[in-house]
Amino acid sequence: SLMLISLAIGPMLYKMHQIHQQYDFGRDIERVQVLSASLSSWTTSQALGISLSDSSSFHLLPGWVRTCLGGLGIFICFRRSRRLVVLLAALVMSSFLLSFGANIGWSNSAQNSVWNLACEWFSPLSRVRSPYRFAYFTQLGVILLAAIASNHILRTARLSCLEMRRRGEQVLQI
């Protein structure tokens, strides 16, 4: 399926790359760096107001409970559907890394960032103004994995209650 998608989208991406090269289009790297996520953005949860750092302007963490349930969801999904795990894990990890934008690099300078290399290699990235918005896909993946884990936990609890009733044991009604 990836080959089919590459064949379908490849010519369009190649044409976009040529046009970007021809007109030398790109965003100001300092602006992109300001609108990129930082590590403190990912350690701040808006829901409970819990913050490990006060310097974050973006609150990107979907919540500690959802994140832990999402981690549990990876293991639960892996037993059932490895394709789903690979898809959601790739979505979460790639969007997590892309949300850092120009803040990922080997020096403090935005000019020497991994983002610049990625923009040269994949030119449509040079049009992105605020990379922190890739965090929405990270949050979506984490919440989907948390929902899968919650569903599994509730189903397991329900089945164990039914098994206890069948044996005639007293069951606490939830």
Side-chain angles (χ1 to χ4, degrees), residues 55-66:
S55 65
S56 174
S57 60
F58 307 115
H59 304 287
L60 301 177
L61 186 71
W64 292 104
V65 173
R66 289 184 198 111

Side-chain angles (χ1 to χ4, degrees), residues 5-6 10 18-20 23 33 37 39 47 55 57 73 89 97 100-102 132 134 154 167 171:
I5 290 171
S6 297
Q18 286 180 331
I19 292 170
H20 284 173
Y23 295 108
Q33 187 175 22
L39 190 58
S55 65
S57 60
L97 290 175
F100 285 102
Y132 78 90
F134 284 110
L154 289 174
R167 285 186 271 156
V171 178

